[in-house]
Amino acid sequence: MAHCAQLGFQDASSPLMEELLHFHDHALMIVFLISVLVLYIITCMITTKLSDKYILDSQEIEIIWTVLPAITLILIALPSLRILYLMDEVNNPHLTIKALGHQWYWSYEYTDYEDLGFDSYMVPTQDLSFGQSRLLEVDHRMVVPVESPIRVLVSAEDVLHSWAVPTLGIKMDAVPGRLNQTAFIAARPGVFYGQCSEICGANHSFMPIVVEAVPLNHFETWTSLMLEEV
């Protein structure tokens, strides 16, 4: 979960988010090197009074400053395309969950189980327990097993929403009448927070998302308890 004055990303909790962080560092280093080079050239042009006719009119230099940006764009585009294809991959999920956006709460259906579903509302500030986060805690968390491919089917009942959990590297629009899908693998046990990332009305900021990743045996115990309640 993000904390006050945090400048960087949250720690990655899925392999996909780790790839995104690596690509961010890769692209940032390229931008930094370009910025230093441009600043150096500008400084030299301002401070020196000398000129050279071979620099003012040179076919070789024009070729260099045309080819180098093209190579730079390729170095950024190829890793980016690789991650884009990885984000669309959904291979043999162990569990499928349908997340349905409403004004202003989420409902979850575990489609691999019969009659296993629930609504997830934000816990009001006055009902929070000690240590719980304001505007981020919910009454029913989406529980998933760790190190298992999870497919999430995302849709909405009324208006546009967006199901986003930054630490898992997930952000998928919830569109009424359309079923979008995404997938993730929780690399470690923990509680991961997100929020609706599409302005959806007056209470847009009050429909958080909480994903709890637990070991498989704990997940099976949780599903048994939930089915008994139903």
Side-chain angles (χ1 to χ4, degrees):
M1 187 174 68
H3 55 80
C4 296
Q6 179 174 335
L7 298 179
F9 290 98
Q10 300 179 36
D11 293 337
S13 299
S14 70
L16 180 60
M17 189 59 188
E18 290 180 5
E19 294 286 342
L20 290 171
L21 291 180
H22 291 157
F23 174 70
H24 168 267
D25 296 340
H26 168 73
L28 193 63
M29 183 56 66
I30 292 176
V31 171
F32 176 74
L33 293 175
I34 292 173
S35 302
V36 170
L37 176 63
V38 172
L39 181 62
Y40 172 75
I41 294 173
I42 291 175
T43 304
C44 291
M45 292 180 64
I46 293 175
T47 56
T48 185
K49 299 185 183 302
L50 301 176
S51 61
D52 190 337
K53 66 178 183 179
Y54 295 108
I55 294 180
L56 296 176
D57 184 16
S58 173
Q59 188 72 29
E60 291 79 10
I61 290 179
E62 292 181 4
I63 293 174
I64 290 173
W65 70 39
T66 301
V67 172
L68 281 182
I71 295 175
T72 303
L73 290 175
I74 292 173
L75 290 176
I76 295 176
L78 291 180
S80 175
L81 288 172
R82 173 178 171 272
I83 294 177
L84 282 175
Y85 280 104
L86 284 175
M87 294 176 72
D88 282 338
E89 287 290 332
V90 182
N91 291 325
N92 301 321
H94 296 175
L95 182 67
T96 299
I97 303 172
K98 182 178 179 182
L100 194 62
H102 309 265
Q103 287 183 309
W104 285 273
Y105 65 96
W106 294 95
S107 61
Y108 299 103
E109 299 175 13
Y110 288 69
T111 57
D112 298 290
Y113 297 86
E114 187 176 355
D115 297 328
L116 179 52
F118 50 85
D119 296 331
S120 180
Y121 290 88
M122 185 193 76
V123 176
T125 303
Q126 62 272 17
D127 297 335
L128 289 173
S129 302
F130 180 77
Q132 290 184 326
S133 301
R134 177 177 171 271
L135 300 183
L136 287 177
E137 195 56 65
V138 296
D139 56 356
H140 292 93
R141 296 172 174 175
M142 191 185 95
V143 181
V144 298
V146 296
E147 298 180 347
S148 296
I150 309 297
R151 175 172 57 186
V152 184
L153 305 177
V154 184
S155 187
E157 191 179 57
D158 33 46
V159 298
L160 289 175
H161 300 279
S162 184
W163 200 81
V165 183
T167 187
L168 294 174
I170 297 175
K171 184 178 184 296
M172 181 58 66
D173 287 341
V175 183
R178 180 186 177 95
L179 202 61
N180 294 326
Q181 75 170 356
T182 184
F184 68 91
I185 299 175
R188 55 185 171 85
V191 180
F192 314 120
Y193 294 91
Q195 289 179 304
C196 176
S197 298
E198 190 76 45
I199 297 176
C200 55
N203 292 331
H204 158 66
S205 354
F206 305 111
M207 47 183 306
I209 301 157
V210 182
V211 178
E212 183 175 358
V214 298
L216 181 59
N217 56 340
H218 293 183
F219 174 76
E220 292 175 344
T221 302
W222 176 82
T223 55
S224 300
L225 293 175
M226 292 294 292
L227 290 171
E228 288 176 3
E229 291 180 4
V230 175

